[in-house]
């Protein structure tokens, strides 16, 4: 039977400390429910004594979120312990996490006390916390820079006082994996009562070693990892939950340990945290980054299509990502394009590959990455590129000021006949889009809207890129004009023309099948 490693999530406590703006109470409740779906063992949700708002959030989470043990943080101070105990009363399972610094540096300059003084404070705090719960965790802050002999003294005393979890954090992200493993080995071999407590680790990422240190500690005998979703946290962040969870899942053969994390919930939780905390995930982030399951090299793409595990050690679905993504670039081969078009429902008879591939390379060199909606547009251009576009902009007039609702009038030639409509909106661009919708009789959903300049200075042209969704498919429209409202309208009309072309292609396909 493989050993279990407990996952202690501190996204809502240590992670939140790094945010530019504090989360609202409702934000915390929402994230707490999301994190609980991961099936973490412990969820540290706040520092109750720090503010009335934090106390209320911890109190609500304790009452409303089921599953994990709900944990509050407290200094080794009486009022902190009482605040935690009161806030956690409603929890099915509760833990009080108390701490005090142990390194000579912190003792001398921050606390201005001796190790004996710190040990006595720890004993008192743990004893007080035991009045509220049997589940008490004690942390030796800055354990990574504490002499091993000093750690052994205070850890033994903390366990005797009733601590059932002992956390040895690398508070400043200083130690290396071999040093961290040596510390864990030393504690396990030199603290007489260590069998009465679970050893935990809490690593920061200042040198980029948080995950490596945590895994090294597990290999040395630690059985709890304290971590955050997306690795958010103080300074360079904390150990990343998704990374350690998937390392232990994918390398059970080597590590001989497991967690109870529901890995299929990882991607959803990551996106939720990124959105609510306003901390975007970097594209090359392991496990949950946009590029984590993307393949740009033609060799890699071909390999994945032939056998997924040639270049993917885990399936995207394992962490909740719907499927892998083949970024189509100038390095992509014909095989990749043909495969993607087949997935989109096209047959080889629907396009001429030589002509399409030539257009594909030209576009890929121009914009870098080619998407599904680009491929479909190219198929149409190669088949009916000599036909006039159905929708052609004739004029756009827009007005807005701080005193009235924005309005716009748009004129479009529809199959050669002028159609015009006026509309209002929250801004002139929205008003113009409503007018276009009335003219065409089709409502599209704008998924992305990006405005950029083609050059520098006030004379630059505005370039608007729109990705819009219609009937389950996405279309990319680009507009260029000195006026950003006109550029936006041109981009949207481009979208409608692409929809029209796609509908014509679909009609042609149906006619061919019928014939």
């Amino acid at each position: 039977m493989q050993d279990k490693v407990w996952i202690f999530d501190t996204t809502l406590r240590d992670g939140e400390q790094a945010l530019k703006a504090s989360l609202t109470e409702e934000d915390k409740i929402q994230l707490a429910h999301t994190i609980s779906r991961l099936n973490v063992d412990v969820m540290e949700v706040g520092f109750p004594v720090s503010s009335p708002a934090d106390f209320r959030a911890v109190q609500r989470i304790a009452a409303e979120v089921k599953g994990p043990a709900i944990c509050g943080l407290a200094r080794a101070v009486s009022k902190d312990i009482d605040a935690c105990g009161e806030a956690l009363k409603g929890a099915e399972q509760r833990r009080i996490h108390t701490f005090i610094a142990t390194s000579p540096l912190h003792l001398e300059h921050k606390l201005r006390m001796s190790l004996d003084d710190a040990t006595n404070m720890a004993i008192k705090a743990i004893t007080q916390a035991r009045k509220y719960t049997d589940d008490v965790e004690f942390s030796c802050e800055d354990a990574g820079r504490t002499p091993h002999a000093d750690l052994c003294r205070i850890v033994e005393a903390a366990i005797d006082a009733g601590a059932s979890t002992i956390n040895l954090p690398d508070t400043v992200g200083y130690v290396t994996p071999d040093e961290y493993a040596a510390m864990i080995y030393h504690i396990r071999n030199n603290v007489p009562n260590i069998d009465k407590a679970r050893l935990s680790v809490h690593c920061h990422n200042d040198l980029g070693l948080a995950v490596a240190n945590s895994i090294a500690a597990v290999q040395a005998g630690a059985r709890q990892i304290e971590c955050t979703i997306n690795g958010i946290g103080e300074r360079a962040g904390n150990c990343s939950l998704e990374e350690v969870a998937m390392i232990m899942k994918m390398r059970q053969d080597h590590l001989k340990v497991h967690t109870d994390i529901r890995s299929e919930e990882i991607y959803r939780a990551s996106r939720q945290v990124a959105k609510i905390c306003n901390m975007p995930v970097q594209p090359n982030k392991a496990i949950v980054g946009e590029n984590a399951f993307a393949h740009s090299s033609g060799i890699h793409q071909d390999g994945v299509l032939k056998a997924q595990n040639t270049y993917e050690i885990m399936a995207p679905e394992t962490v909740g990502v719907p499927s892998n993504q083949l970024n189509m670039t100038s390095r992509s081969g014909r095989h990749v394009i043909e495969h993607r078009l087949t997935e989109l429902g096209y047959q080889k008879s629907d396009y001429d590959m030589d002509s399409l591939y030539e257009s594909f390379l030209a576009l890929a060199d121009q914009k870098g990455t080619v998407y599904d909606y680009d491929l479909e547009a190219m198929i149409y251009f190669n088949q009916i590129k000599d036909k006039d576009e159905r929708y052609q902009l004739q004029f756009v007039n827009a007005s807005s000021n701080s005193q009235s609702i924005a309005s716009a009038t748009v004129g479009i030639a529809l199959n050669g006949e002028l159609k015009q409509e006026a509309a209002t909106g929250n801004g002139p661009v929205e008003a113009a889009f409503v007018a276009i919708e009335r003219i065409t009789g089709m409502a599209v959903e704008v998924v992305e809207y990006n405005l950029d300049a083609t050059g520098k200075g006030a004379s630059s042209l505005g370039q608007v890129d729109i990705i819009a969704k219609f009937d389950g498919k996405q279309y990319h429209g680009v507009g260029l004009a000195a006026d950003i409202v006109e550029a936006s309208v041109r981009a949207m009309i481009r979208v409608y023309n692409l929809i029209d072309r796609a509908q014509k292609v679909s009609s042609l396909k149906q006619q061919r099948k019928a014939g």
Side-chain angles (χ1 to χ4, degrees), residues 15 22 41 238 271 395 479 507:
S22 296
D41 298 285
N238 288 52
R271 289 298 179 262
F395 65 86
S507 178

Side-chain angles (χ1 to χ4, degrees), residues 89-148:
K89 275 186 175 179
E92 288 181 341
Q93 303 178 72
R94 65 187 69 87
R95 174 181 293 190
I96 293 177
H97 179 193
T98 187
F99 70 95
I100 196 166
T102 56
S103 69
L105 183 65
H106 279 227
L107 288 171
E108 178 183 355
H109 296 287
K110 187 179 76 171
L111 299 180
R112 297 181 180 178
M113 65 174 62
S114 66
L115 181 65
D116 286 340
D117 292 335
T119 301
N120 289 332
M121 286 185 66
I123 292 170
K124 290 179 181 178
I126 294 166
T127 302
Q128 183 180 351
R130 284 293 300 263
K131 296 177 181 179
Y132 292 100
T133 176
D134 292 335
D135 189 352
V136 177
E137 176 173 335
F138 173 69
S139 284
C140 305
E141 186 184 8
D142 204 23
R145 295 188 293 181
T146 302
H148 291 179

Side-chain angles (χ1 to χ4, degrees), residues 367 371 373-374 377 463-468 474-478 491 494-495 498:
K367 63 179 293 189
Y371 299 96
Y373 41 79
D374 295 314
Q463 178 176 315
V464 172
D465 284 78
I466 292 173
I467 295 177
Q474 290 187 337
Y475 300 86
H476 179 210
V478 180
R494 170 71 171 162
V495 165
L498 289 174

Side-chain angles (χ1 to χ4, degrees), residues 350-491:
D350 293 328
Y351 55 87
D352 176 71
M353 176 53 80
D354 291 335
S355 176
L356 178 63
Y357 191 63
E358 183 179 340
S359 299
F360 168 84
L361 290 177
L363 184 61
D365 285 339
Q366 179 183 356
K367 63 179 293 189
T369 300
V370 176
Y371 299 96
D372 294 344
Y373 41 79
D374 295 314
L375 277 182
E376 295 193 289
M378 281 189 288
I379 289 177
Y380 176 79
F381 279 129
N382 278 277
Q383 288 180 331
I384 48 178
K385 58 187 176 182
D386 57 327
K387 300 289 182 66
D388 293 333
E389 291 185 335
R390 185 180 187 193
Y391 306 103
Q392 295 185 353
L393 177 64
Q394 299 299 299
F395 65 86
V396 55
N397 295 317
S399 65
S400 65
N401 58 64
S402 60
Q403 304 299 318
S404 61
I405 297 175
S407 62
T409 303
V410 179
I412 295 176
L414 177 56
N415 295 328
E417 182 182 355
L418 179 63
K419 302 284 186 179
Q420 65 181 57
E421 285 283 351
T424 59
N426 291 323
V429 172
E430 184 184 53
F433 286 177
V434 173
I436 295 172
E437 181 181 319
R438 290 176 180 173
I439 292 172
T440 61
M442 294 189 298
V444 302
E445 176 189 357
V446 177
V447 178
E448 291 183 24
Y449 176 96
N450 295 298
L451 171 64
D452 204 353
T454 59
K456 297 181 179 180
S459 61
S460 298
L461 294 178
Q463 178 176 315
V464 172
D465 284 78
I466 292 173
I467 295 177
K469 183 181 290 186
F470 179 79
D471 196 25
K473 295 184 178 180
Q474 290 187 337
Y475 300 86
H476 179 210
V478 180
L480 192 67
D483 177 80
I484 61 172
V485 178
E486 180 183 345
S488 302
V489 168
R490 290 188 180 278

Side-chain angles (χ1 to χ4, degrees), residues 311-333:
Y311 289 100
E312 284 184 358
I313 61 171
M314 57 189 139
E317 295 81 1
T318 307
V319 295
V321 177
S323 64
N324 59 10
Q325 174 185 334
L326 302 180
N327 287 343
M328 293 175 288
T329 69
S330 58
R331 298 182 300 279
S332 299

Side-chain angles (χ1 to χ4, degrees), residues 220-232:
R223 285 299 177 264
Q224 177 177 284
I225 294 177
E226 304 193 1
C227 45
T228 62
I229 295 171
N230 297 339
I232 67 173

